[in-house]
Amino acid sequence: MLECSCCAGLYQLLSKPPPMPYTDQKGLKPTPMIYFIKIAYTLLFPPGIIFLLLLCIAFLLKQKKEHLGSFLILLTTAILYVCSIPYFSNFLLSSIEQRYQTPVQVSGDVLVMLTGGAISEPADPLTGGNGYLTSTTASRVLTLAELYRVTKLPIILSGGQVFNDSGNESQIALRHLLALGVPESAIQLDDTSLNTEENAQHTEAILKKKGWKQPILITSAFHMARSVKQFQKLNVRVIPYPTDFITQQKQDLTLNKFIPSAGSLSNTTIALKEYLGLLAAKN
């Protein structure tokens, strides 16, 4: 009976919906089982299952009086857990993303977009070429196309082929812009840059050649601070136009914010990479 009561209590805790659950278009609220299944999936797959295995190993080591080994395993588990929960990853990534806000109105003389990844295959019949943009780059391209529709400013695409088996990011982005109705005559291409530092250097050369003085910089919100810093090193003053936001400023303190997930671990990694990049850009 005790085991049944504990299981029932755990079920009620895990299946408790957020304080203000959403409703679908038909006005139906999601059942508690939906939340329970979502959390169960998270615990059954990495990184959730890894935590359970690490805790088992720590318990076995402690049973064998391997206290140092048990402590190191628990410490590793704790660090990995913190890095994998949405509450921490959102807080850390938001501290990078919220440094610049998307302006309501922009005034410049050229749109500069930095790419952020692409694959070289399979073929894309809609744009008539090989390769696809990552979701990050695709979000930037969408914002760029919308800005071009409003401003009709010339465009600089900056980003090359980083790895032998990856796609050329600017060339694939160019195909999508053409498919969206942007004329090729409006686009300048830097398809050789391999990192953010080279993005800034190659873009500066194009700016000087064309005589453009007020570049509007379009990149993901998490990437903006590091990008601005690289342009500042070259005495290029950009107008930040962040897009592709991952986090939001307000977080509801609910149970799901403390359940580890692969997505949250990835966001923590992104934030740490950007902080490291900012530190390197200052040197």
Side-chain angles (χ1 to χ4, degrees):
M1 292 296 293
L2 180 60
E3 291 180 358
C4 292
S5 299
C6 290
C7 290
L10 179 61
Y11 172 82
Q12 292 177 357
L13 176 64
L14 293 178
S15 61
K16 182 180 179 181
M20 297 179 65
Y22 68 90
T23 56
D24 61 18
Q25 294 180 348
K26 297 180 180 180
L28 300 176
K29 294 182 179 180
T31 63
M33 180 59 72
I34 292 177
Y35 295 101
F36 179 78
I37 292 173
K38 287 181 179 293
I39 293 174
Y41 274 140
T42 303
L43 294 176
L44 287 174
F45 298 108
I49 190 65
I50 295 175
F51 293 123
L52 299 179
L53 293 174
L54 287 173
L55 290 174
C56 289
I57 294 172
F59 177 77
L60 292 175
L61 289 174
K62 190 172 183 181
Q63 289 294 102
K64 295 181 178 181
K65 301 189 183 301
E66 296 284 348
H67 299 297
L68 178 60
S70 177
F71 170 76
L72 292 176
I73 291 292
L74 288 174
L75 180 62
T76 301
T77 304
I79 294 173
L80 186 59
Y81 170 76
V82 171
C83 290
S84 300
I85 58 175
Y87 187 81
F88 177 78
S89 68
N90 289 346
F91 171 79
L92 190 64
L93 191 56
S94 178
S95 67
I96 287 282
E97 288 194 327
Q98 300 301 327
R99 294 191 179 197
Y100 295 96
Q101 299 298 314
T102 306
V104 177
Q105 294 182 332
V106 291
S107 178
D109 55 10
V110 62
L111 303 173
V112 176
M113 194 205 84
L114 310 185
T115 59
I119 59 174
S120 59
E121 55 184 19
D124 180 5
L126 292 178
T127 61
N130 290 325
Y132 285 81
L133 300 173
T134 61
S135 58
T136 295
T137 305
S139 294
R140 301 177 193 181
V141 168
L142 180 59
T143 298
L144 176 63
E146 292 170 342
L147 275 175
Y148 177 80
R149 178 179 58 83
V150 173
T151 65
K152 293 297 187 277
L153 291 174
I155 292 170
I156 299 176
L157 292 177
S158 180
Q161 182 176 344
V162 180
F163 303 104
N164 290 334
D165 59 349
S166 62
N168 190 291
E169 299 166 11
S170 286
Q171 292 179 8
I172 298 175
L174 173 63
R175 294 203 325 257
H176 283 277
L177 287 174
L178 297 178
L180 291 170
V182 179
E184 190 169 4
S185 59
I187 304 171
Q188 297 290 318
L189 211 60
D190 158 34
D191 58 0
T192 59
S193 296
L194 301 181
N195 56 30
T196 306
E197 184 177 13
E198 290 188 2
N199 286 144
Q201 292 171 350
H202 297 177
T203 298
E204 182 207 19
I206 298 175
L207 292 173
K208 285 183 176 180
K209 180 180 178 180
K210 294 293 183 178
W212 292 321
K213 304 293 185 182
Q214 294 180 295
I216 300 168
L217 183 62
I218 300 133
T219 190
S220 296
F222 67 80
H223 186 233
M224 183 59 76
R226 181 158 61 98
S227 302
V228 170
K229 184 65 66 176
Q230 290 293 352
F231 279 94
Q232 287 176 344
K233 289 173 65 176
L234 300 173
N235 296 317
V236 177
R237 186 176 180 179
V238 299
I239 303 167
Y241 199 98
T243 186
D244 185 38
F245 284 85
I246 298 175
T247 64
Q248 57 187 37
Q249 289 179 304
K250 183 181 178 182
Q251 286 198 77
D252 291 333
L253 199 61
T254 53
L255 177 63
N256 68 297
K257 291 293 192 299
F258 298 91
I259 301 298
S261 70
S264 296
L265 182 59
S266 175
N267 289 345
T268 299
T269 303
I270 290 173
L272 293 176
K273 176 188 174 184
E274 292 304 316
Y275 273 114
L276 183 61
L278 277 171
L279 183 63
K282 292 179 180 180
N283 299 326

